Amino acid sequence: MKKVFLIVLCLTLLTGLIGCNGPSEPDGSGAEDASAIVSNSASSGEEVVAPEGVVWPEIEVTNPVVKYLWWLDPSMLNNPDTWIYRMNELLKDKYGAHLEIVSTSYEELPTKAAQMVLSQNSPDLVFYKPQDYPNFILQNIAQPVDKYIDFNDDNWSKVKEINDQFLWNGQHYLIVPSMVQNYITLYWKSLFDDAGLKTPYEYYQEGNWNWDTMLELARNLTSDEDGDDNPDIWGFAAHPMHFYQTTGVDLVTIENGAVTNNLRSATLARAMKFLYDAGPQKYNVRTTDLSKWETLFPRGRLAMLLQEDYVKETYIELIREGKVGIAPAPKDPEADEYYVPGKIEASWIPNGAQNVAGAVAYMTVVMMNDQDPELIAWSREQTKQLYNFSDEQIQMLRDMDKNLSLFYPQYLGMGNFGNQGQWEMWGELYTWNLPWETEVEKFYPIFQAQIDEVKDAYKTAKG
C-alpha cells in the first residue's frame, strides 16, 4: 500500500501579525554563519561511513551543548528506555554534542520562545507545534535553514518532499527529519483470553482490524457488574482528534491558495457518529473522560486504548511481561486506504541561536536514524529487548511505518482554532456526548472566521 503524505499547511497567526507582503527576512543575528554546515565532501575530514555505503553528513560542531526548548521531562535524557535518550547518545557518538532541555510547558512554548529570542537568549532548537506555523515565521522567531541544510543532499533528499510541504515564500524554515506512524492500539490480553475473543493483533494479521471489529470487541468486553450504567470495565478509549484521522480526511483542505473548512464533511460526520454511538446514548462502551484512560488502563479496567505511540513507553513493563499487547489503529472500513495518524519530529532553529551546527547535528541524527541500516537494525533489536517483542511484532511495527498510509494533519494552527476552539469541540463531543450535528453548527462559523483571518497571508506566501 502506498504511503501518502496528506499535508495541509496550518496557519497559526496571533492577532495583528498578518501583513500584505508576507514575513520580513530574519537577519539571523547571533547565529554562526554556517553557509555549508552540512556537507558530504571530504574537505573537512574523513567521512563517517555506515554499513552498505551510507555516508553520514559531516558537521563540525565546536559547541557541545545543544539547547532545546521543549516540554519534555529532562530526566528522559537519562532513561535508556526512551527514544530521546537513544537520539542523544547518537548525537554524542556521531558529533560530540549533547542535548540540554530548556524546560517549558506545551501551552507556554510559543511565548517562551518569543521571549528568549527577544532577550537575545535564544535556544538552539524549538520543538515544533502545528499551532506555531507560520506564526513563528511571521514573528521572526524562526529563521530560514536553507543556508545550513541542503535538502538536495543524498540523505536529506529522502525527506525533501515532506520538508517542501512547509515552504514559506520559497524557503525552508521548519526542519522535518522523519515521519512515522503515531497511533496504536494497546490491549489487555487477559480480558480477551477470558472472553475467548480474538485480539486486535490477530484481527490485524487476518486483514480484518477495523472500526466494526473494534466495536464488536468493545461490546463483548464492556462489563457493568453492579448495573449502575457506569461500566466497571470499558471497551475502549480514543481521542476524537486522532480517531477521525483514520478516515484520511482533514478538517481543512488547502488547494491553489483556497482554504476550505471541512467540518461539514460527510466522512468526518461518519467518524464522529461512530464515537457518539459508542458512548452512553447507545452502546456505552467507550470512556467519557479524555483523561480517564490514565487511571483505568493500568488497572486492567480498559480493554483497548487507542493512543499516540509514545504511550507504549508508559506501559513498558506491562508489555514486557506479556500482559499488554500492541496493534495498529483500526482501519476505517469505508476508507480507500489504511490511514493511520503520523507524526513528524520537527524543529525550528530560532533567530539568535548560538549553536546552529549542534542544532543541525541533532536533526541529522534523527533523520539518519531511519536511513542508516546499522541504526535501523540496532533500533529493531533495542525495541525487541525493551518490549520483549517477537520478531513478528517487530516487523509489524516496521510495516506500520512503511506500508500504511500515514496521515499528518496540519489544521491545528488555523487561526487560533487550534489553541482554543478545537479542544472545546472535542471535549463537548466526547465528554458531554453532544451529537456532531450540534457541534458542527456551533463551531463551523467559529472555524471559518479563523480561516478568513489567515487565508490572505497563506496566499501571499504560497502564490
Side-chain angles (χ1 to χ4, degrees), residues 36-62:
I37 281 182
V38 177
S39 170
N40 274 326
S41 71
S43 60
S44 59
E46 293 184 357
E47 294 178 331
V48 183
V49 181
E52 299 184 20
V54 174
V55 180
W56 276 66
E58 293 182 358
I59 307 171
E60 184 178 355
V61 181
T62 58

Side-chain angles (χ1 to χ4, degrees), residues 39 127-128 163 169 189 201 203 213 226 237 253 279 281 287 296 304 324 368 371 373 394 412 446:
S39 170
F127 196 82
Y128 167 71
N163 278 277
N169 280 337
K189 292 182 179 180
Y201 179 60
Y203 273 112
T213 50
D226 55 13
T253 302
Q281 278 73 18
T287 63
L296 290 175
M304 294 174 286
V324 168
M368 291 298 293
Q371 295 190 27
I394 290 294
L412 292 176
I446 297 173

Side-chain angles (χ1 to χ4, degrees), residues 159-170:
V159 289
K160 185 177 185 297
E161 179 181 356
I162 180 98
N163 278 277
D164 285 352
Q165 301 289 351
F166 293 89
L167 281 170
W168 191 264
N169 280 337

Side-chain angles (χ1 to χ4, degrees), residues 42-237:
S43 60
S44 59
E46 293 184 357
E47 294 178 331
V48 183
V49 181
E52 299 184 20
V54 174
V55 180
W56 276 66
E58 293 182 358
I59 307 171
E60 184 178 355
V61 181
T62 58
N63 181 351
V65 180
V66 181
K67 297 181 179 179
Y68 201 165
L69 181 62
W70 198 353
W71 57 86
L72 181 81
D73 181 352
S75 68
M76 293 180 71
L77 289 174
N78 300 315
N79 183 350
D81 289 345
T82 64
W83 180 85
I84 191 65
Y85 170 89
R86 300 194 287 273
M87 294 302 98
N88 195 38
E89 292 301 301
L90 279 172
L91 179 62
K92 295 176 185 177
D93 179 57
K94 297 295 184 181
Y95 297 113
H98 63 273
L99 295 179
E100 178 182 292
I101 301 300
V102 180
S103 296
T104 185
S105 67
Y106 182 91
E107 294 79 10
E108 294 176 351
L109 181 140
T111 301
K112 188 162 185 175
Q115 291 173 341
M116 293 184 74
V117 171
L118 288 173
S119 65
Q120 298 184 353
N121 185 33
S122 297
D124 304 309
L125 288 168
V126 178
F127 196 82
Y128 167 71
K129 289 170 52 180
Q131 292 92 332
D132 297 326
Y133 181 93
N135 187 50
F136 275 14
I137 302 172
L138 298 174
Q139 283 189 292
N140 289 335
I141 293 173
Q143 60 174 298
V145 299
D146 295 281
K147 61 182 177 180
Y148 308 133
I149 297 176
D150 179 5
F151 288 97
N152 292 311
D153 166 81
D154 287 345
N155 295 310
W156 282 101
S157 65
K158 295 179 177 65
V159 289
K160 185 177 185 297
E161 179 181 356
I162 180 98
N163 278 277
D164 285 352
Q165 301 289 351
F166 293 89
L167 281 170
W168 191 264
N169 280 337
Q171 298 185 91
H172 296 95
Y173 285 80
L174 192 67
I175 306 174
V176 187
S178 67
M179 182 174 177
V180 296
Q181 68 80 26
N182 189 39
Y183 201 41
I184 58 175
T185 304
L186 297 173
Y187 59 91
W188 272 90
K189 292 182 179 180
S190 60
L191 294 177
F192 290 83
D193 290 342
D194 292 346
L197 298 171
K198 287 187 291 188
T199 67
Y201 179 60
E202 290 171 324
Y203 273 112
Y204 173 71
Q205 285 181 306
E206 66 183 31
N208 197 28
W209 177 231
N210 56 46
W211 297 0
D212 295 336
T213 50
M214 183 182 74
L215 180 60
E216 180 182 356
L217 288 173
R219 295 181 66 183
N220 283 309
L221 291 166
T222 299
S223 173
D224 181 13
E225 296 174 358
D226 55 13
D228 63 355
D229 293 327
N230 184 32
D232 302 292
I233 296 178
W234 294 87
F236 75 93

Side-chain angles (χ1 to χ4, degrees), residues 217-274:
L217 288 173
R219 295 181 66 183
N220 283 309
L221 291 166
T222 299
S223 173
D224 181 13
E225 296 174 358
D226 55 13
D228 63 355
D229 293 327
N230 184 32
D232 302 292
I233 296 178
W234 294 87
F236 75 93
H239 197 300
M241 184 179 73
H242 302 294
F243 184 80
Y244 89 84
Q245 294 172 29
T246 63
T247 68
V249 174
D250 206 353
L251 299 190
V252 174
T253 302
I254 303 176
E255 187 174 355
N256 298 323
V259 184
T260 302
N261 182 344
N262 287 335
L263 283 191
R264 289 176 176 157
S265 158
T267 300
L268 291 178
R270 182 168 50 80
M272 296 302 103
K273 184 178 187 303
F274 178 90

Side-chain angles (χ1 to χ4, degrees), residues 335-442:
D336 57 346
E337 296 192 46
Y338 197 147
Y339 296 107
V340 295
K343 68 176 177 181
I344 57 175
E345 297 293 339
S347 297
W348 312 91
I349 296 181
N351 278 309
Q354 296 298 309
N355 190 7
V356 171
V360 172
Y362 175 72
M363 300 310 288
T364 300
V365 163
V366 178
M367 179 266 293
M368 291 298 293
N369 184 59
D370 199 40
Q371 295 190 27
D372 187 324
E374 183 179 45
L375 292 182
I376 293 172
W378 172 78
S379 180
R380 286 168 61 97
E381 185 60 29
Q382 286 290 103
T383 303
K384 181 178 178 179
Q385 297 298 324
L386 284 173
Y387 297 100
N388 196 28
F389 283 160
S390 65
D391 289 332
E392 187 178 38
Q393 289 172 307
I394 290 294
Q395 189 59 46
M396 177 195 70
L397 294 174
R398 187 71 177 166
D399 290 344
M400 287 165 65
D401 283 341
K402 298 303 179 184
N403 298 332
L404 303 186
S405 296
L406 305 188
F407 181 96
Y408 185 75
Q410 295 183 4
Y411 72 87
L412 292 176
M414 185 65 65
N416 201 39
F417 189 76
N419 292 309
Q420 295 178 352
Q422 66 147 328
W423 303 110
E424 183 181 351
M425 181 177 73
W426 298 136
E428 290 185 0
L429 173 85
Y430 198 90
T431 302
W432 300 107
N433 304 300
L434 298 180
W436 181 241
E437 294 82 358
T438 301
E439 296 304 286
V440 168
E441 291 311 305
K442 176 179 178 179

